[in-house]
Amino acid sequence: MYVAQIPVKWLDKLAREHKELQGLLPMLARSLKGIKYSKECAIEAKALFEAMDNAGATQRLFFITRFAG
């Protein structure tokens, strides 16, 4: 099981300042209570989250935006 915990204020500020990340804002609003993804979505995301295990901070942000977008 993977849980993505990202500081809300930091990510919100980042998304508002960078036009290319503004598509994340609706997901951020929903994620305050947590987002439960379908089994199919979890299976598709497994490789992405496994890659994040060995990624640096910038790469992790890229992976999470790729997953969300």
Side-chain angles (χ1 to χ4, degrees):
M1 177 159 122
Y2 289 90
V3 176
Q5 286 187 305
I6 303 168
V8 175
K9 289 181 182 178
W10 173 81
L11 191 54
D12 184 64
K13 182 177 185 280
L14 187 69
R16 291 183 190 284
E17 290 176 354
H18 297 279
K19 183 177 164 183
E20 62 275 12
L21 298 177
Q22 289 179 359
L24 293 175
L25 292 173
M27 183 185 72
L28 291 175
R30 290 191 326 264
S31 71
L32 292 175
K33 294 182 180 180
I35 298 174
K36 183 176 180 180
Y37 292 96
S38 68
K39 184 175 182 178
E40 294 79 15
C41 184
I43 290 169
E44 289 180 26
K46 185 175 186 262
L48 185 65
F49 280 98
E50 288 173 344
M52 287 176 63
D53 284 342
N54 298 314
T58 303
Q59 286 178 307
R60 286 180 183 166
L61 178 61
F62 171 75
F63 287 141
I64 216 64
T65 56
R66 184 173 151 208
F67 177 71

